Amino acid sequence: MSDEALSQWSAQRRTSRGGQPKYSDLAITMCLTVRVVYELPLRQTQVLMRSIAALMGVEITVPDFSTLSRRSKGLALPPVRRRTACWRSVHLVVDSTGLKVFGEGEWLENKHKIKVKRKRWRKLHLGLDLVSGEIVCSDLTTDDVGDPTALSDLLGQIDGPVGKFIADGAYDGAATRDLLTTRLGEIAEVIIPPPKIAVASSQSALNPTVRDRHIAEIETKGRMAWQKSTGYNQRSRVETQMGRWKTVIGPKLKARNLDNQKTEAKIGVRVLNRMTELGHPEFSRVA
């Protein structure tokens, strides 16, 4: 570990009487990242990090488990360099999945064989760039927040232009179309499948909307042909990313409250993006 990294890690004593060491955001982020990757409780994370420091021969103090839990709430993660060029438009595909929260209900079911009436879930919303394979936006909400409601915050996390937007039929609606027009403009290509009972608008003959053109093409060619011609089938890549999440990060959230769970989800996004970057080939001209 370099001297610069040690200086960024080192705890600074608080000036108040009886104060505890205040660790940098980098130290807390690194410990929580190890926890997410290896799916460890906070106590085991503390022990593992101390063992790693001893094996590396560096004299650093490791935050205890209570400090990790307290600092996880609202943690400001260090910035990460994006692989997506700022001048290139993002081809965005969004989707959501459920993550289980391990709480008292599941403990009662496992320990006393009591069937709980309702299990607790959180909803993970992800936005994937089809070109780079990078997760460019994410959000963790309660299970009662619908996909169109969370879309506004997802779009707010994207700095550059969006050239294509793909989502499933859950995003079909006037509110979503108005939001996409306001945020992305008229140039962005929006691919959202209308439901089977959808009908064209009254102005479809003179001034058809994007949705009207999708409905007409589906009626003419069929839904499967429409999916192939528009590229809607690429939406399966974000579903694959959901599968990667539940395989690598896990289908459950270890944190107990929503703020800490949000931090855990953000770190999970960074872990998957880092793995994608390491497995991404780089090409360069040699002659």
Side-chain angles (χ1 to χ4, degrees), residues 78-95:
V80 178
R81 179 181 62 86
R82 296 287 188 184
R83 299 204 327 270
T84 304
C86 60
W87 50 266
R88 184 185 62 77
S89 61
V90 175
H91 291 183
L92 182 65
V93 53
V94 298
D95 202 357

Side-chain angles (χ1 to χ4, degrees), residues 96-99 101 121-125 138-147 149-151 153-154 253 258 261-262 265:
S96 65
T97 187
L99 297 178
V101 179
W121 294 84
R122 293 288 185 256
K123 207 168 186 180
L124 177 66
H125 307 265
S138 65
D139 194 12
L140 187 75
T141 64
T142 55
D143 56 359
D144 58 346
V145 176
D147 293 347
T149 305
L151 182 58
D153 292 337
L154 293 179
L253 293 166
L258 183 58
Q261 291 165 358
K262 285 179 176 289

Side-chain angles (χ1 to χ4, degrees), residues 197-217:
I197 60 174
V199 295
S201 64
S202 58
Q203 302 294 327
S204 60
L206 300 176
N207 187 21
T209 62
V210 174
R211 187 171 185 267
D212 292 334
R213 290 194 291 268
H214 288 330
I215 293 175
E217 186 174 353

Side-chain angles (χ1 to χ4, degrees), residues 165-172 176 180 190-194 214 226 232:
F165 177 86
I166 304 177
D168 60 20
Y171 293 85
D172 180 71
T176 301
L180 293 176
V190 177
I191 304 174
I192 301 176
H214 288 330
W226 172 84
Y232 176 76

